[in-house]
Amino acid sequence: AGPDWPNPPWSTFLLRELLASDEFRIDFINRYADLINSSFRSDRVLEQIDQKKDLILSEIPGHCARWGGDIWQWLNNIQVMRDFATYRKNHAQNHVIQYFDLTEDSEVTLDVYPEQAGKIQISTLNIDNFPWSGEYFNGVPVKITAIANPGYRFIRWEGGNTSDSSEI
């Protein structure tokens, strides 16, 4: 495979040009972290795989009888997907760290007090179930905003890099 495979330069031109912008690069890296911390969390993906497996499992013996194959190979393929889901987070994070020459990532834990006082937006995620933890990349600023429920007001951040502002 050469430099034109699988993505010739013309097909990546727009993304490469956008990544030249500091603002876009920061947004891209944080959105990547948001997805790792939400839609692509290992436990969430494993749950989806298991739900789909359970949904069609009873059909697999008939499928194998009609079209060939064997249920043990099918179950092995399910395990391959489960293994991928389990280890994908680390590979994805390492790819971002290497590509953007970052040092590492750090765990961020968010909580509100009292429990019903509000929610917190971190990057593009609106968090309303606490305590919440996710991982973000060191050296990449992440916008965090406290959103008070009616009858409450933001007082302060505690721990880590703090500020009196509702945004840090």
Side-chain angles (χ1 to χ4, degrees):
D4 289 339
W5 186 91
N7 301 311
W10 65 264
S11 70
T12 61
F13 173 76
L14 183 58
L15 180 59
R16 286 184 287 116
E17 290 298 309
L18 288 168
L19 287 172
S21 157
D22 288 341
E23 182 179 355
F24 182 86
R25 188 172 51 259
I26 289 167
D27 288 346
F28 181 90
I29 293 168
N30 283 331
R31 182 63 179 140
Y32 204 102
D34 290 344
L35 290 169
I36 291 171
N37 290 320
S38 61
S39 298
F40 298 124
R41 282 179 36 163
S42 295
D43 60 333
R44 184 180 184 284
V45 175
L46 289 169
E47 181 182 324
Q48 292 293 314
I49 291 170
D50 289 343
Q51 285 177 356
K52 304 307 184 269
K53 179 189 105 179
D54 293 345
L55 185 67
I56 64 173
L57 178 61
S58 64
E59 299 297 324
I60 297 303
H63 174 84
C64 292
R66 182 170 181 179
W67 301 105
D70 103 34
I71 192 165
W72 301 111
Q73 183 58 49
W74 182 78
L75 290 170
N76 185 61
N77 291 340
I78 298 291
Q79 189 57 48
V80 168
M81 290 190 295
R82 290 181 55 78
D83 292 344
F84 180 85
T86 299
Y87 299 110
R88 179 63 182 145
K89 174 186 166 196
N90 291 335
H91 292 297
Q93 287 170 320
N94 288 335
H95 178 73
V96 170
I97 288 168
Q98 289 176 359
Y99 186 85
F100 292 103
D101 196 26
L102 304 173
T103 55
E104 57 185 13
D105 55 5
S106 292
E107 185 174 38
V108 175
T109 301
L110 303 174
D111 206 350
V112 297
Y113 181 81
E115 191 175 301
Q116 66 280 8
K119 61 184 179 180
I120 298 173
Q121 181 174 357
I122 181 167
S123 188
T124 65
L125 299 180
N126 289 309
I127 310 300
D128 56 10
N129 189 11
F130 298 98
W132 178 89
S133 291
E135 294 182 39
Y136 285 85
F137 298 98
N138 293 352
V140 180
V142 180
K143 183 177 178 182
I144 303 175
T145 306
I147 304 166
N149 283 335
Y152 293 90
R153 66 183 175 88
F154 172 79
I155 297 174
R156 70 181 177 278
W157 295 105
E158 291 181 358
N161 181 7
T162 61
S163 165
D164 290 335
S165 170
S166 66
E167 294 183 2
I168 58 171

